[in-house]
Amino acid sequence: MRNISPLQKERLNYQPKLAGVLKNGIKNISATLGEKTSAVKDADAIQQLFANIYGKELVTFSSTEASGEFDVKNVGVILSGGQAPGGHNVIAGLYDALKQANPKNELFGFLGGPSGIVDGNYVKFTDDFINEYRNTGGFDIIGSGRTKLETEEQFREVWNQCQNLNINAIVIIGGDDSNTNACMLAQWLDEKNTGIQVIGCPKTIDGDLKNDQIEISFGFDTATKTYAELVGNIQRDANSAKKYWHFIKLMGRSATHVALEVALQTQPNITLISEEVEERKMSLSSIVDYITDIVAKRGNNGKNFGIALIPEGLIEFIPEMKVMISELNDILALAEDDKDYTNIKSKEAKYALITTRMTDNSANVFNSLPEIIKEQLMMDRDPHGNVQVSKIETEKLLIEMVSERLAKLKEEGKYTGKFSAQSHFFGYEGRCAMPSNFDADYCYSLGYNAFALIQAGFTGYLSCIKNLTKPATEWVAMGVPLTMMMNMEKRHGKMKPVIQKALVEINGPVFKELENNREDWALNDRYIFPGAIQYFGPSEVCDITTQTLILEQRKAVKC
Ligand code: FBP
């Protein structure tokens, strides 16, 4: 075994808690079919595209008499998209269930994400191999990638690889885009009568793969606790030195669940919520006014320090930016095959051509941005057509603009403080953290449950564990049809079927909690310092889940 820290050693021995009914063992559970489902939006288009797997029933597992020996089933697993704490435990749960069902079953791990199955790069899991990764962070066990599975050739290659290895089912562990892949693959394999099943598992630190059935994606719990620890540490530093404003950008490509959760755990002075910005049609200028006002009030009271949380995806929610980025996406998608554009070498000439293809308003917005932000907006989209917002330095843009406004206020005699700012970006720091007890248990249950769905013969389903604010003994194990979560959205300039992202609800209980407190937190220092994730100790410290889950479930129970 590699050199490992004492904590890592202890964590390898941690036995994750399995969801209620799954604890009885893979041979003692049976599936019950619930109501038929439809799609969250655009049902006709989704039904047409996914004719074989559309509209299936929800599945719930319950206890049953032990069954005898199960037929051999080989499974392939893929980690897909960005890393999230707990991925290794999903694989461990899947492996343990599969071996309990029949020791002759084999688990194959495809390397480097979806491209691994297309290119036939894989490893076969053994006890020794998996045991080294139990309860660890990261996706390094088999690696991950963002290849989009959508072409006929890719699907045929997947089928070839499954035939070569006698694989009966594929488990895709991923976020909304990756589970969209899972849905397309399930449809194709079913259409061709291959008998190969596809099951997804809900992953992403962003916390936006959730709906009426999926309470939270795995990784959100650990990542937000990790960021909250760091933000808390910075708050303590700011409160000690009293000389800096810290502008902290927090990961979460689109939705603001991460920044909102971190805000509830730490109570900073300012938290921007992208969904609110969009809903209240706040322009970039009005966001700068909002921040400047708080900085100025604090400065005039002798407090030249503070903490502002900025969501990673903010720029795409500012109305004028959203329109401009959407136009830019379409223009760049067409420009890929346009020699007039690809032959241009200088970026200034590229900007000039691009802006002539925009509406006047968007061209003005684009031209008003600092050079560095223009460059970052022009970078390649990811394979799913998303702007790579992690590379856009919104926190620096805001510091620059706030600083300019404060200088004006100073000239007018309305600001007497000093503004010195530090920028931070917390994202990669949290994605591979050692999973919290919650994520370790949840992920293990998700993986185990994925095999239960395979064993029961389902395809085109997402593994689902519910009732997550209760102890694991009360968790419910389910399967949710992937088509139930889909709708049509524009990607790379074309309408495509995708899993709908869950954004922060402005009328929901989580946002309301921030809204009710933020005025107080802005001017009075109500900082909370959460400290590091604890793995051993009292349950109220080690097993507590996120404020988001607690507040949302409280509301769900009341309804
Ligand atoms: P997933 O949705 O695939 O889980 O990834 C989420 C995320 O961590 C975002 O928060 C972030 O914008 C993005 O990945 C960064 O991607 P990359 O790892 O390619 O830099």
Side-chain angles (χ1 to χ4, degrees), residues 81-82 146 203-206 251-253 312 389-390 428 431:
R146 289 197 187 274
K203 170 233 73 170
T204 178
I205 61 153
D206 294 0
M251 227 178 213
R253 182 171 43 218
E312 184 188 49
V389 279
S390 61
Y428 300 98
R431 296 201 313 183

Side-chain angles (χ1 to χ4, degrees), residues 400-551:
E400 200 178 305
M401 295 180 79
V402 168
S403 183
E404 279 168 19
R405 292 278 158 95
L406 286 168
K408 280 216 178 93
L409 287 183
K410 195 153 243 179
E411 271 171 30
E412 293 162 14
K414 293 178 185 156
Y415 173 56
T416 52
K418 270 192 206 146
F419 181 64
S420 175
Q422 302 278 358
S423 63
H424 311 261
F425 170 34
F426 297 151
Y428 300 98
E429 292 80 352
R431 296 201 313 183
C432 284
M434 199 179 275
S436 61
N437 285 353
F438 173 85
D439 269 330
D441 300 345
Y442 179 40
C443 290
Y444 188 74
S445 298
L446 281 172
Y448 198 98
N449 187 55
F451 188 74
L453 287 164
I454 293 169
Q455 188 61 60
F458 294 103
T459 190
Y461 274 78
L462 194 64
S463 175
C464 166
I465 303 290
K466 281 173 84 159
N467 219 15
L468 293 169
T469 48
K470 298 276 163 38
T473 44
E474 293 173 44
W475 290 358
V476 176
M478 293 184 62
V480 180
L482 284 162
T483 49
M484 188 180 182
M485 306 166 200
M486 302 206 68
N487 71 163
M488 303 296 292
E489 285 175 24
K490 204 171 194 188
R491 296 291 169 92
H492 284 302
K494 294 194 186 109
M495 291 309 282
K496 300 257 175 159
V498 289
I499 290 185
Q500 194 182 53
K501 269 188 205 303
L503 300 178
V504 168
E505 286 178 24
I506 296 305
N507 294 317
V510 193
F511 177 74
K512 288 286 167 209
E513 186 72 18
L514 174 79
E515 198 180 32
N516 292 339
N517 289 293
R518 63 183 166 190
E519 241 180 84
D520 176 36
W521 299 351
L523 301 182
N524 306 305
D525 304 333
R526 308 288 190 205
Y527 304 141
I528 294 180
F529 315 109
I533 295 176
Q534 300 295 306
Y535 301 93
F536 304 99
S539 180
E540 59 275 21
V541 178
C542 300
D543 296 329
I544 184 112
T545 179
T546 55
Q547 290 300 305
T548 303
L549 198 51
I550 293 168
L551 291 164

Side-chain angles (χ1 to χ4, degrees), residues 79-123:
L79 287 165
S80 182
Q83 284 68 248
H88 290 163
N89 267 26
V90 179
I91 299 181
L94 175 64
Y95 179 84
D96 289 352
L98 164 146
K99 288 291 180 189
Q100 278 167 25
N102 187 332
K104 292 201 185 101
N105 287 346
E106 299 286 6
L107 180 63
F108 296 92
F110 289 100
L111 303 175
S115 62
I117 194 163
V118 175
D119 302 337
N121 295 326
Y122 66 90
V123 286

